[in-house]
Amino acid sequence: MVDRISRRLFLGGLGASLIPGTSLAQAPLVSLRPQARGPQLSGVERFIKAAGLRGDVVFAVADVKTGAQLEAFGDEKGLPPASVAKAMTALYALDVLGPTHRFETTLMANGPIENGILKGDLILVGGGDPLLDTDALAQMAANLRKVGVTEVRGAFKVYDGALPYIFSVDPGQPDHVGYSPAISGISLNFNRVHFEWKREATSYDVTMDARSANYTPSVEMARMRVKDRQLPIYTYEASARQDRWTVAKGALGKGGARWLPVRKPALYAGDVFKTLARVNGIVLGRVQVTTETPRGDVLVLHQSDSLDSILRGMLKYSTNLTAEMVGLAASVARGAAPNSLADSAAEMNRWAAETYGVEGVAMVDHSGLGDASRMKPGDLVAALVAARKTGALRPLLKPFSLTDANGKPIKDHPIRVDAKTGTLNFVSGLGGFLTTAGGSDLAFAIFTADMDHRATIPREARERPDGARSWNRRSRKLQRALIERWGALYGS
């Protein structure tokens, strides 16, 4: 039986800590009992009003052991989950691909090798590994030499057809943000290129490279020019074989660095591999990108970490590219042929309905970056309850700290929380598990959004719009207060 509490019959008697004007982060000091409020604001409504948030607030919390919903507010409405969506994507990938799945990147030859000479094409084959980096490519180049290849007479190709090509995770984001790169069957360094600048007299020395822990190869497929202007700070122009950027001289100062998105992942990986092969004495021809399924002999194999390890990193660092690539891989494994993130997300939505019986999951991507996605908190909670029973997800989630009235983390807090956060401008989310002081396990989801205000932000201002930081701070304060509330209400 589901114990759903309506908006007008929420638990009252919330104690001094929930009265407007006092700290939302403190636990209730008195015992809480149900109390009908009639036409007045219910306890939780006064509680939410005290947070001072414009927009919508929805949440749900359930007992993990029984699955019974303990409290819900606005659960009939779906909101953008932001990066909390990655929790659903993790469940999707774990179920479809399995926790021990490993992505493979290979070097293949479609001709014979005689006296160290490959008389055919060398093909760098992407297998959808979201963590492939320059260090891994360097090891592959060294291993190519170890298997005896010293010269390639044929073409050098990069296969990226394991996943569809997508220009940007969210085209509505500014061109220059590194968290919305392109996607394809091969990814390198999260499809980001490192841009660094240093002032030299009246000009600037700029570099574009594919740095990793041990290597810093320069790249040819990404170019930057400094322009004598104040705004816009960056412009992007695509050409057949290059990402062409300009940057405003007035914004550079003395020096600095940032990661920029790569829009041509296969050319990027090929460009970097050519450099690393040359270090090993192997000169390769012009990079040719292909989507034709490669055939030949595997010369070198690189395997990724296991999927559960990849997902743990994705949930900890909230990497959008990882979420999109593992989500796409799961959809392909289910037999779908997605041409876009929306196609793949629709397959995940169908999976969620089939697996958990939920109909309010309407994602347009796997990372939550697109604000057109919608998710009902009760649907996520239903998935979390099912996942907790199998133990699949909670070990991968990051511990979430509760804080005191001054915002400082409380060490050894009696409530333990493992959750996924989510933040967009004027959108915030939190979903996961909490264990009360009495040992009760709960699953919860909290979504807040001011979509009307978000819609007024120009595209070029979406990286750091005015007011977003303070709004999201108030939302996080409300999230922590709700967790304190649930810990007190359902602690035994």
Side-chain angles (χ1 to χ4, degrees):
M1 179 177 179
V2 175
D3 182 14
R4 291 179 71 92
I5 304 174
S6 75
R7 290 175 59 135
R8 296 296 177 184
L9 289 174
F10 266 107
L11 297 174
L14 296 182
S17 67
L18 304 185
I19 300 298
T22 62
S23 169
L24 290 176
Q26 302 303 306
L29 302 177
V30 297
S31 176
L32 306 179
R33 295 291 184 268
Q35 179 178 341
R37 289 286 178 177
Q40 303 175 12
L41 290 178
S42 72
V44 79
E45 287 174 322
R46 291 188 295 113
F47 182 82
I48 292 170
K49 184 178 180 180
L53 275 178
R54 297 188 311 270
D56 295 307
V57 177
V58 298
F59 62 74
V61 60
D63 181 272
V64 167
K65 185 176 181 180
T66 65
Q69 191 174 80
L70 302 172
E71 190 169 79
F73 185 83
D75 191 33
E76 70 282 355
K77 183 171 187 175
L79 290 180
S83 284
V84 180
K86 293 181 176 74
M88 185 67 78
T89 298
L91 291 173
Y92 181 46
L94 286 168
D95 183 54
V96 176
L97 300 174
T100 61
H101 179 81
R102 295 177 186 269
F103 298 96
E104 295 183 348
T105 307
T106 61
L107 287 169
M108 294 181 64
N110 69 356
I113 300 173
E114 299 176 3
N115 299 319
I117 301 171
L118 169 56
K119 296 182 177 180
D121 300 336
L122 179 70
I123 310 163
L124 174 60
V125 181
D129 181 359
L131 301 189
L132 186 71
D133 63 7
T134 297
D135 284 0
L137 282 190
Q139 187 61 56
M140 293 182 72
N143 288 342
L144 181 63
R145 182 61 186 250
K146 287 181 181 178
V147 299
V149 174
T150 59
E151 183 181 346
V152 175
R153 291 278 175 88
F156 172 48
K157 299 180 179 181
V158 179
Y159 170 73
D160 68 348
L163 300 177
Y165 171 78
I166 295 159
F167 178 81
S168 175
V169 175
D170 178 14
Q173 298 293 327
D175 287 331
H176 63 276
V177 293
Y179 54 77
S180 188
I183 301 167
S184 78
I186 192 165
S187 163
L188 181 66
N189 302 329
F190 300 104
N191 284 342
R192 301 179 307 167
V193 63
H194 189 260
F195 164 47
E196 187 171 5
W197 64 94
K198 296 178 182 178
R199 181 182 295 219
E200 293 187 348
T202 59
S203 62
Y204 285 89
D205 177 48
V206 299
T207 58
M208 303 284 271
D209 63 61
R211 65 182 54 195
S212 58
N214 298 306
Y215 299 89
T216 312
S218 61
V219 299
E220 297 293 329
M221 58 73 56
R223 280 284 179 258
M224 177 66 73
R225 290 186 298 161
V226 179
K227 305 292 283 187
D228 190 10
R229 65 172 189 256
Q230 295 294 322
L231 291 173
I233 296 177
Y234 291 97
T235 68
Y236 172 79
E237 177 187 1
S239 72
R241 297 185 63 84
Q242 276 190 330
D243 286 337
R244 294 178 177 175
W245 296 91
T246 72
V247 62
K249 184 177 181 180
L252 294 182
K254 294 182 179 179
R258 73 169 293 157
W259 291 92
L260 293 171
V262 167
R263 302 294 179 208
K264 295 176 171 55
L267 282 174
Y268 180 48
D271 186 352
V272 173
F273 186 80
K274 274 187 62 175
T275 299
L276 297 169
R278 189 166 59 247
V279 171
N280 287 274
I282 306 169
V283 178
L284 301 176
R286 190 171 188 253
V287 180
Q288 299 180 25
V289 178
T290 180
T291 57
E292 183 179 347
T293 303
R295 303 186 186 280
D297 297 323
V298 174
L299 303 180
V300 176
L301 167 67
H302 170 77
Q303 288 190 320
S304 73
D305 294 340
S306 61
L307 180 64
D308 56 357
S309 176
I310 291 172
L311 295 176
R312 183 179 290 107
M314 176 194 77
L315 293 166
K316 180 178 181 180
Y317 299 108
S318 206
T319 44
N320 294 327
L321 182 77
T322 302
E324 303 301 353
M325 291 185 72
V326 299
L328 284 163
S331 294
V332 171
R334 272 173 59 88
N339 292 315
S340 67
L341 291 182
D343 289 347
S344 184
E347 186 67 24
M348 183 173 74
N349 299 340
R350 285 189 285 273
W351 165 86
E354 296 166 5
T355 305
Y356 303 120
V358 298
E359 300 295 337
V361 178
M363 298 299 298
V364 300
D365 58 28
H366 298 289
S367 65
L369 186 59
D371 66 6
S373 288
R374 294 293 182 269
M375 187 180 290
K376 293 182 179 180
D379 286 350
L380 178 58
V381 167
L384 293 174
V385 167
R388 182 59 175 150
K389 290 177 179 178
T390 63
L393 185 63
R394 187 165 189 176
L396 305 182
L397 290 169
K398 182 180 177 181
F400 180 81
S401 298
L402 294 171
T403 59
D404 61 20
N406 297 316
K408 295 182 179 180
I410 301 173
K411 294 182 179 180
D412 301 320
H413 195 289
I415 300 173
R416 183 169 66 88
V417 182
D418 300 298
K420 181 71 191 80
T421 60
T423 303
L424 299 173
N425 297 320
F426 300 98
V427 174
S428 184
L430 185 69
F433 304 95
L434 70 90
T435 301
T436 69
S440 298
D441 285 335
L442 311 180
F444 69 91
I446 308 165
F447 302 143
T448 58
D450 186 355
M451 297 305 292
D452 289 341
H453 186 74
R454 179 177 168 82
T456 67
I457 304 169
R459 181 173 182 266
E460 63 273 10
R462 290 177 185 171
E463 190 172 15
R464 294 185 184 90
D466 292 340
R469 185 170 296 180
S470 60
W471 188 94
N472 286 87
R473 189 183 304 116
R474 288 193 296 273
S475 184
R476 289 191 295 271
K477 190 174 183 181
L478 174 61
Q479 293 162 4
R480 287 180 167 89
L482 286 169
I483 290 171
E484 296 272 11
R485 167 187 169 83
W486 297 327
L489 283 171
Y490 311 113
S492 61

